[in-house]
Amino acid sequence: MIIPFVISIINEIKARPYREIVNKNRHEQDERDQKYKQALQANVAPVLYLRPFAIDGAKVITHEKRLNMLETSVKGTTFGKNLEPIKTSSIEFNFEQSLCEMAEVIGPFVAIGKPTWEDLNFGAYRLYCTNEVWQKTAFELMQSAAMILVRVKGELSNGFNWELTRISELFLYKTVFIFEVSTQCECDSIRSVFKALELNFEI
């Protein structure tokens, strides 16, 4: 069947730019991680990046387009029926990478990563630790950080609320908050959490 074979070739060609972008970003991230790791080993004060894990990762969007073709039969074989869709993939703009470019002027951009997380994380150098020690690690990073960047978006987890509490108690003077609110419900929920911590910002 010629048509399905042609569509398979189109899908392969369209997938190449996406894979090239991912591979390029991975390569750049590997170099960045090595640079940040060396800076941390040299006791350069980091910029700590805090956020809910749910917003991690450069999100991949897959698009499908089906061809509308007239069905044709040749010697009992039907062409143009149940064709494989043409698929394209793209990566959403990754805000974390932009934060990284700004933050690294001050120091290595560092975050605690979620173990086993498989999203495409491009930006901060991630330190992975178990549930038993993550709070200790986070607190030590808060203490040593030259700046703390807190990105507030979506549903705020218990772990993220713990980090907010420590910041409100001890590290507010070196913390910058970035709010990304898309609905009134989300705004009210975030405002409630911050009010409980006596962080009465205009959101």
Side-chain angles (χ1 to χ4, degrees):
M1 299 257 287
I2 297 175
I3 295 298
F5 178 68
V6 170
I7 291 176
S8 295
I9 293 176
I10 292 172
N11 282 334
E12 173 61 24
I13 293 172
K14 284 182 173 290
R16 285 177 191 169
Y18 163 73
R19 287 199 297 267
E20 289 170 2
I21 291 171
V22 171
N23 291 336
K24 178 176 180 291
N25 276 273
R26 286 194 191 282
H27 177 70
E28 291 176 351
Q29 186 63 46
D30 288 342
E31 292 184 338
R32 190 182 298 122
D33 285 348
Q34 186 61 32
K35 179 176 68 173
Y36 290 170
K37 183 178 180 180
Q38 291 173 352
L40 289 174
Q41 291 172 342
N43 295 319
V44 177
V47 175
L48 177 60
Y49 174 53
L50 301 177
R51 77 287 174 213
F53 282 141
I55 67 172
D56 266 5
K59 306 305 179 185
V60 177
I61 304 172
T62 301
H63 311 272
E64 290 190 358
K65 182 177 181 180
R66 293 187 176 275
L67 294 177
N68 295 319
M69 296 193 65
L70 184 66
E71 291 184 19
T72 304
S73 295
V74 179
K75 294 184 179 179
T77 301
T78 302
F79 296 88
K81 184 177 181 180
N82 299 324
L83 292 178
E84 177 186 352
I86 294 175
K87 299 177 183 179
T88 59
S89 295
S90 60
I91 300 179
E92 278 188 339
F93 169 74
N94 189 350
F95 185 50
E96 183 181 327
Q97 285 176 287
S98 294
L99 292 178
C100 178
E101 292 170 4
M102 294 184 288
E104 68 179 9
V105 176
I106 300 171
F109 193 46
V110 176
I112 292 180
K114 182 176 181 179
T116 72
W117 200 262
E118 296 183 357
D119 263 343
L120 303 174
N121 292 314
F122 301 130
Y125 170 54
R126 279 163 168 74
L127 303 172
Y128 295 94
C129 49
T130 63
N131 287 333
E132 290 74 24
V133 300
W134 81 265
Q135 290 183 345
K136 178 177 182 292
T137 303
F139 189 77
E140 289 174 349
L141 286 169
M142 291 180 198
Q143 286 181 309
S144 63
M147 176 188 291
I148 302 172
L149 277 179
V150 180
R151 187 177 172 194
V152 185
K153 181 180 180 180
E155 185 175 349
L156 309 186
S157 64
N158 291 335
F160 187 64
N161 287 343
W162 180 89
E163 292 169 337
L164 290 175
T165 301
R166 301 290 82 76
I167 287 172
S168 68
E169 292 172 345
L170 297 167
F171 305 112
L172 198 56
Y173 68 94
K174 59 178 177 180
T175 300
V176 174
F177 291 90
I178 301 168
F179 293 94
E180 296 178 62
V181 181
S182 56
T183 67
Q184 186 60 48
C185 181
E186 186 179 354
C187 181
D188 292 341
S189 176
I190 291 173
R191 187 180 286 120
S192 175
V193 171
F194 274 71
K195 185 176 181 180
L197 295 172
E198 298 183 356
L199 298 172
N200 297 313
F201 300 131
E202 289 293 331
I203 301 175

